[in-house]
Amino acid sequence: MEQFVYSPKSLGLAIRRRRKEKKLNQNEAGKSFNLLQRTVSSIENGAPGTQIDTIFRMLAALDLEMIIRSKTRTQKLSGENW
């Protein structure tokens, strides 16, 4: 799975997509890293202000990683482009 993430909302959608690919409900996805179901829901809904360590715990729970790279000017993103 590879997806551009450019906002809390797009990150949440990517996390939700991965969780569903793994056939986990929100409670199951968060359990291994002590995240409550409501926290997983909040992340998936793109709630601003989520602590970065919580994001990394969620990524780890779903076997995801974050890669930082320079943005190319030719990429067209939606209205949430930062």
Side-chain angles (χ1 to χ4, degrees), residues 41-59:
S41 176
S42 178
I43 292 167
E44 288 184 0
N45 286 310
T50 304
Q51 292 185 0
I52 192 71
D53 64 313
T54 303
I55 297 292
F56 279 110
R57 287 170 39 208
M58 188 75 249
L59 293 174

Side-chain angles (χ1 to χ4, degrees), residues 5-6 13 48 61:
V5 172
Y6 46 85
L13 292 173

Side-chain angles (χ1 to χ4, degrees), residues 8 10 16 24 27-28 31 42-43 45 51 68 70 75:
S10 66
R16 177 180 289 137
L24 297 171
N27 190 50
E28 293 166 335
K31 192 173 184 178
S42 178
I43 292 167
N45 286 310
Q51 292 185 0
I68 305 296
S70 296
Q75 292 173 342

Side-chain angles (χ1 to χ4, degrees), residues 1 4-6 9 16 18 22 30 34-35 39-41 45 47 52 56 60-61 63 65-66 68 71 73 77 80-81:
M1 176 182 132
F4 286 107
V5 172
Y6 46 85
K9 180 86 170 164
R16 177 180 289 137
R18 176 61 172 187
K22 293 178 74 73
N34 296 320
L35 295 171
T39 303
V40 175
S41 176
N45 286 310
I52 192 71
F56 279 110
D63 299 320
E65 63 186 356
M66 187 181 299
I68 305 296
K71 181 177 173 182
R73 293 291 169 199
L77 301 175
E80 292 184 328
N81 186 6

